Amino acid sequence: MWAGPNTPTGPAPPGPPPSGRPHPPPVRPRAGWYALPAVLLLAASAGFLGVLACTWEDVEAADGPVVSGDPRIGVTVRLAEGRTYFVYVREHASSPYRCAVALAGASGPLRLTRENSWSAAGHPGYRYTATFKAPLTGPARLTCRGEGGGLLVTPDGTVRTYRGLAFLGAVGVAGPAVLAIAVIAVTRRRSAGRARAAAG
């Protein structure tokens, strides 16, 4: 076919070179990767602080005084209603079978159990024998029958164990979360450096 004077022939001429710098590669990983470890860190912190708040009064009761004396005459124990206390007897003495408390003219028997016996601390010369829950608040006189030696009474300190477990659990969650945040930050910083180098 005949090509007129205005008919283009051959390959098209190359276009103008692209203007501007090339787009740098995106920074990886994306900032959204911070979300999961941040949520875990906040959850661990809030959980541990919640345990501290809920057990505040229990810890105050657990810090109460340790008293000892003759259970037949009576041992004065500073009680907090609803809190538990451990009863110890001499190593070779028999366990009490009946205990009661009296305060301001009111008295009543105590229900002896083995609650939280696994956390009863050791005391030289004494052995754990029972747990009771305080029915009242104040300096009450505790008497027991069936025990011929000295008696030792301490507040139940199990709440400290629960706090310790809560702390370990919070560290077990928060530790990996902090490590993940650090790894993400370092990886993003290196990726941003490579992107700047490519753009330059």
Side-chain angles (χ1 to χ4, degrees):
M1 185 176 186
W2 177 81
N6 295 326
T7 303
T9 59
S19 60
R21 296 181 178 179
H23 293 289
V27 177
R28 301 290 186 181
R30 295 183 180 275
W33 281 46
Y34 284 117
L36 180 57
V39 169
L40 292 177
L41 183 59
L42 290 175
S45 302
F48 180 63
L49 292 177
V51 171
L52 292 182
C54 293
T55 59
W56 190 266
E57 293 183 357
D58 293 329
V59 171
E60 288 184 344
D63 290 335
V66 176
V67 297
S68 61
D70 190 335
R72 295 167 295 185
I73 299 175
V75 181
T76 301
V77 184
R78 184 170 297 277
L79 302 178
E81 184 176 357
R83 310 303 177 188
T84 56
Y85 295 81
F86 291 150
V87 179
Y88 298 80
V89 296
R90 292 291 183 181
E91 289 182 348
H92 301 293
S94 59
S95 299
Y97 63 84
R98 184 182 300 173
C99 293
V101 291
L103 174 63
S107 61
L110 292 175
R111 179 174 172 266
L112 300 179
T113 68
R114 304 282 295 183
E115 182 180 355
N116 294 338
S117 60
W118 57 270
S119 67
H123 293 273
Y126 290 89
R127 65 178 178 84
Y128 166 83
T129 185
T131 302
F132 71 86
K133 184 169 291 187
L136 42 79
T137 297
R141 187 169 62 90
L142 170 68
T143 56
C144 292
R145 295 183 181 180
E147 196 283 317
L151 198 72
L152 186 141
V153 182
T154 71
D156 180 1
T158 307
V159 63
R160 297 190 184 92
T161 302
Y162 293 151
R163 277 191 166 188
L165 293 175
F167 175 75
L168 292 177
V171 170
V173 174
V178 171
L179 180 61
I181 291 175
V183 170
I184 293 172
V186 171
T187 306
R188 282 177 54 82
R189 188 179 300 114
R190 291 177 177 175
S191 179
R194 289 192 297 267
R196 286 192 298 270

